[in-house]
Amino acid sequence: MNRGTHPHRLALPAGILVAVAFVAPMAWMFLASFKSIEGIFSLPPRWIPDFTYVDNYTKLLSQNWVFLVNSIIVTLGATLLCMVLSLPAAFGLVNFKFRGREFLADWILSTRMMPPIAAGVPLYIIFNTIGLLDTVWALIVVYAGFNIPFAVWVSMSFFRRVPRETIEAAMLEGCSWAQIFTKVALPLTRSGIATVATFVFIFAWNELLLALFLTTRAAKTFPVVISSFVTNSMTFWEMIAASSVIQAIPPIIFTLLMQRHIVSGLTMGAVKD
Amino acid sequence: MRFSVVDSIPGSRPKSQWDRESRERLIFLTPAVAYLFLLTVFPFLYSLYLSLYQVKLTRMDRKVFVGFDNYANLLTDSLFLHACLNIGIITGISIVIEIIFGFLAAKIFFALRFSRAGGILRSLSILPMMITPICIGLIFSYILNPTLGIANYLIKGAGLPPPGWLSDQTFALFTISLINSWQWTPFMMLLMLAGLMSIPTEHYEAAEVEGARWWHVARAIEIPAIKSVVLVGVILRVIDNLRFFDIVYVTTRGGPGASTEVVTLFAYKQDYQYFQIGYGSAAAVVILAMSIVITTFAAGYLRRAEGE
């Protein structure tokens, strides 16, 4: 039987096949980013490009670096705002006993069902009225809000692991809730909070639909720019290849760093890994 | 002696202390709740209001109350009905593929769970699901280009007829489902792997002693162990698929014809291409209603399955 430390002899080749199936398409785009327009679609294909050819990247970034900066500002700002709002709420929902606590937690979770498309037009009108349309502020505010249900719900599962006795001991020493939160709960749940923040970061980094609604020129994010390389008349493949590689770097790094927490993160704690 | 300060009822405390503490509690909870209310409930109510009007984004001042006409029109709009059908097909095909291939991959990486190479291969295999969906869509639209793409080059090289992938009216919806399931099979795989890991080794040993074949093992031991995690995965995937937009937006824009039109893209086009925000809002409200119905139904089903 193929158990224990000696897997079936076909297991490793099969595993390699699976990994190739998932990596090869991405690798093909990565290789394309080092090819000229002619090389991208040459037949027969040019398998290995000249890696010193970086014109696509220099052309892309010289014209669009502003939008990459937008993306970074929006993503970091939204992640920070989302955590500042969500962590105290999650802590409160775990530690305070009050009537309607369960209902409030369920209500927060249920707002995740809200499809972004149902908020696009109202948010457009609101931000247009207050003059924040096409600013990074609008996207920071919106992305932070849309990730609150996720951040609260998953953070709650981490705050629940803080031992009761620790909190009671702090209370007996006369600590206020604010002190318990900042001096006891946050340090004890550091790694969990980092995981939550990373997810919020990636969700915000990947978002397209609301960015299409809320930005027109100045505040465009990188995904909006990438999607604009596909036009009705032609598709700028060399730009798409280079921008896709840049866009994929943060998700790839974070996926490799926190793969242990991906299942519990994406199922909002419903499945432990 | 233990003081259960946390559990104490606020009312039993001296009044001044209760006031101070309740104020402190409010500071913890109010910002997030108020913020969430402003960003989800308020826009939703606004959408509901707009959906009762005929109104253009470019001429907001001229709106005409039309009652439920927008909803009535949606029900007879063949494009919208087509979009609903398409998203149902995409969801169905994707989830079936994700479960089948996810299970095979989970079995492979379960067999390799003690090997270092297995760990590396598994890490590589889960990369697609966190990558920006528009990049995934563009990667495949590059690979699957009907005349110059690498896929059809290899298929022709093997002497087979090359399919039109995204440009063929009958094939495009299937191709979109394939791209979608390629991105999310790793998620199902990880869920099932977590389920397989939870099986006590004695169960496998007992099966071996009894001389059980692999399908006996799968049916009696493995499938029961992964059933509930798969159910969670399916529910999340159904909800996510209702907002499926990015991949279609960068690959086909709903075409050729209306063959890959999906509901979120439909609402987006009404709002932003035709500026008919009353009609678009009605479509968005219907999408929200569908997610609520599906989620409620699925949550009830999940609770019953877990109760067993």
Side-chain angles (χ1 to χ4, degrees):
Chain A
M1 263 301 266
N2 47 331
R3 201 169 10 85
T5 47
H6 295 291
H8 194 276
R9 68 195 155 79
L10 284 180
L12 190 61
I16 292 171
L17 195 70
V18 172
V20 167
F22 287 116
V23 171
M26 297 187 284
W28 190 235
M29 189 62 117
F30 173 75
L31 294 175
S33 72
F34 295 97
K35 296 173 185 170
S36 64
I37 305 170
E38 299 78 45
I40 284 176
F41 278 121
S42 65
L43 285 178
R46 192 187 306 159
W47 297 101
I48 302 298
D50 171 12
F51 286 106
T52 59
Y53 178 85
V54 289
D55 288 16
N56 298 338
Y57 288 96
T58 50
K59 191 176 153 204
L60 171 82
L61 290 176
S62 65
Q63 293 164 357
N64 299 295
W65 64 272
V66 191
F67 306 118
L68 187 59
V69 173
N70 279 348
S71 256
I72 295 168
I73 294 172
V74 165
T75 307
L76 287 177
T79 308
L80 188 69
L81 181 58
C82 178
M83 297 310 282
V84 166
L85 289 163
S86 303
L87 290 174
F91 178 83
L93 285 170
V94 168
N95 289 298
F96 306 159
K97 305 274 167 181
F98 58 93
R99 202 183 308 199
R101 182 173 70 152
E102 303 277 310
F103 171 78
L104 195 60
D106 284 348
W107 177 74
I108 289 175
L109 181 66
S110 75
T111 58
R112 196 185 111 87
M113 300 314 146
M114 171 93 173
I117 184 74
V121 168
L123 291 174
Y124 175 92
I125 295 170
I126 293 165
F127 286 116
N128 197 21
T129 313
I130 59 177
L132 283 180
L133 200 65
D134 201 24
T135 65
V136 288
W137 299 110
L139 286 181
I140 290 175
V141 165
V142 170
Y143 289 174
F146 269 79
N147 284 305
I148 286 177
F150 170 84
V152 167
W153 202 255
V154 182
S155 303
M156 279 173 67
S157 71
F158 291 113
F159 285 129
R160 270 193 212 104
R161 293 183 208 162
V162 176
R164 261 261 142 93
E165 294 74 22
T166 318
I167 290 176
E168 285 170 14
M171 294 207 80
L172 286 179
E173 282 174 28
C175 289
S176 66
W177 280 116
Q179 287 167 320
I180 296 172
F181 174 63
T182 53
K183 302 226 168 81
V184 180
L186 285 184
L188 284 174
T189 51
R190 234 179 5 222
S191 72
I193 289 166
T195 311
V196 178
T198 310
F199 271 105
V200 174
F201 181 96
I202 294 181
F203 294 152
W205 180 258
N206 286 350
E207 212 282 334
L208 174 71
L209 182 63
L210 290 169
L212 286 174
F213 270 100
L214 300 176
T215 66
T216 46
R217 270 205 341 264
K220 279 196 291 190
T221 57
F222 215 53
V224 175
V225 172
I226 298 176
S227 75
S228 70
F229 290 136
V230 183
T231 69
N232 285 332
S233 50
M234 73 174 296
T235 305
F236 300 90
W237 283 108
E238 75 289 5
M239 295 286 102
I240 287 173
S243 56
S244 295
V245 170
I246 293 172
Q247 175 73 23
I249 291 172
I252 288 180
I253 292 174
F254 286 135
T255 308
L256 294 178
L257 284 181
M258 40 153 233
Q259 41 174 319
R260 302 211 150 274
H261 307 289
I262 280 187
V263 167
S264 57
L266 285 180
T267 55
M268 300 184 89
V271 176
K272 302 275 181 295
D273 53 349
Chain B
M1 191 163 70
R2 259 183 68 174
F3 295 86
S4 185
V5 186
V6 181
D7 280 328
S8 65
I9 306 154
S12 67
R13 295 183 159 207
K15 195 161 194 308
S16 64
Q17 201 181 346
W18 152 235
D19 281 344
R20 191 183 63 85
E21 203 187 295
S22 69
R23 217 178 309 130
E24 206 179 353
R25 290 173 170 204
L26 275 176
I27 294 170
F28 273 83
L29 288 161
T30 318
V33 172
Y35 197 96
L36 208 50
F37 189 86
L38 279 175
L39 253 128
T40 58
V41 178
F42 177 68
F44 166 66
L45 294 174
Y46 200 31
S47 274
L48 210 56
Y49 164 81
L50 285 173
S51 73
L52 303 176
Y53 286 84
Q54 187 181 35
V55 48
K56 289 202 96 167
L57 190 59
T58 41
R59 295 304 305 265
M60 287 285 292
D61 48 328
R62 285 201 198 163
K63 53 175 182 277
V64 184
F65 183 80
V66 292
F68 291 100
D69 279 10
N70 285 329
Y71 293 96
N73 290 340
L74 274 179
L75 291 177
T76 53
D77 186 333
S78 67
L79 187 61
F80 182 72
L81 298 176
H82 209 75
C84 291
L85 180 66
N86 283 346
I87 200 59
I89 294 173
I90 292 175
T91 306
I93 295 178
S94 309
I95 289 176
V96 169
I97 295 177
E98 283 160 27
I99 288 176
I100 294 171
F101 284 92
F103 183 68
L104 291 175
K107 285 284 285 174
I108 291 165
F109 289 121
F110 183 66
L112 293 168
R113 67 193 179 286
F114 298 117
S115 114
R116 197 170 159 69
I120 295 168
L121 293 171
R122 196 190 58 200
S123 306
L124 291 174
S125 303
I126 61 174
L127 289 178
M129 65 183 178
M130 300 300 280
I131 287 181
T132 317
I134 54 167
C135 295
I136 302 293
L138 290 166
I139 286 172
F140 280 96
S141 121
Y142 171 46
I143 291 173
L144 302 175
N145 185 292
T147 47
L148 300 166
I150 180 96
N152 279 0
Y153 171 79
L154 296 173
I155 289 172
K156 268 186 264 180
L160 298 166
W165 300 112
L166 292 162
S167 56
D168 184 322
Q169 192 131 4
T170 51
F171 209 71
L173 195 64
F174 182 67
T175 307
I176 293 285
S177 313
L178 275 185
I179 299 173
N180 186 28
S181 42
W182 180 86
Q183 180 165 28
W184 288 99
T185 294
F187 175 58
M188 228 33 127
M189 184 263 283
L190 280 183
L191 284 179
M192 294 187 190
L193 199 55
L196 290 176
M197 296 283 199
S198 68
I199 299 173
T201 22
E202 298 86 65
H203 291 191
Y204 278 108
E205 282 161 10
E208 194 185 348
V209 169
E210 287 172 25
R213 308 301 290 263
W214 69 266
W215 62 85
H216 292 137
V217 177
R219 212 179 58 190
I221 302 175
E222 290 169 346
I223 292 174
I226 60 175
K227 208 175 97 185
S228 70
V229 282
V230 171
L231 219 50
V232 171
V234 168
I235 291 170
L236 288 170
R237 293 298 302 132
V238 170
I239 296 168
D240 279 350
N241 275 323
L242 268 176
R243 34 179 93 164
F244 188 63
F245 170 79
D246 302 29
I247 289 178
V248 183
Y249 182 77
V250 293
T251 53
T252 62
R253 296 259 162 127
S259 58
T260 58
E261 188 72 45
V262 289
V263 281
T264 303
L265 185 67
F266 175 89
Y268 174 79
K269 282 180 180 168
Q270 297 304 327
D271 292 338
Y272 235 56
Q273 211 166 319
Y274 313 125
F275 304 122
Q276 295 291 357
I277 54 175
Y279 198 45
S281 297
V285 171
V286 172
I287 297 170
L288 177 66
M290 288 194 283
S291 11
I292 291 172
V293 169
I294 292 171
T295 318
T296 316
F297 181 75
Y301 186 77
L302 191 66
R303 228 161 260 157
R304 248 176 299 139
E306 273 181 354
E308 277 170 13

